[in-house]
Structure formats: C-alpha cells, structure tokens
Amino acid sequence: AAGACFGPTSLGIAMNILRQGKIVNTPVGQLIVSAAVIDDMIALIILSQLGALAGDANVASIVIPIVSALAFLVGGGAIAVTILPRFLDDYFF
C-alpha cells in the first residue's frame, strides 16, 4: 500500500525534467507525457482498489472505480483527438 502512494507523482516529475531539457513539445516529449498520464491513471485505479478492499469488498466497490477511470481515459482521449483541435483552431489560433 505504501508503494502505491508514490505512483501518481510521475507526471509532475516528468514535466519538470522535460521542461528543463526543453523537449516538452517534441514528439518524444509528448510520448513521455502521455505515458505518464496513463501511468497516473493506473496508479489512481490501484489506490482506489486498495481503498475498496479496506472495507467490505463487494463487486460494485471494485468494478465501479475501474470502469469510471477507463471511461474517463477513453472519453478524454477521444475529446482530445477529435473536438479539442477544432475548438483550439477556431477560438485561439
């Protein structure tokens, strides 16, 4: 359980290192940021599962955090790929 607490820190550390190296906006930098976001989501799922197992474990307390996190990841990714570029082009660039 103690090891799972340190998992969600990867994005903050990765961004600081990429910013100092000035490679945030390169393809490699974007790949690292994407991997860190996915890693943070997995760490949050693990933390939620540890919380669910601390009390009375039933199917809903185990399945709901996993399904909601995956739906957020897929839905957010779909919005970032389809809707957000058009919105940014129309209103900011």
Side-chain angles (χ1 to χ4, degrees), residues 3-4 8-9 12 14 20 25 30 32 38-39 50-51 56-57 67 70 76 78-80 82 88:
T9 61
Q20 288 176 359
N25 292 326
Q30 293 297 307
I32 292 170
I38 292 171
D39 177 54
L50 286 174
D56 293 332
V67 171
L70 291 175
I79 289 171
T82 58
L88 292 175

Side-chain angles (χ1 to χ4, degrees), residues 3-16 36 39-40 43-44 47:
C5 294
F6 297 111
T9 61
S10 64
L11 183 60
I13 293 169
M15 284 303 293
N16 284 334
D39 177 54
D40 286 350
L44 291 173
L47 284 172

Side-chain angles (χ1 to χ4, degrees), residues 43-56:
L44 291 173
I45 291 172
I46 291 171
L47 284 172
S48 70
Q49 293 305 309
L50 286 174
L53 293 175
D56 293 332

Side-chain angles (χ1 to χ4, degrees), residues 15 33 37:
M15 284 303 293
V33 169
V37 168

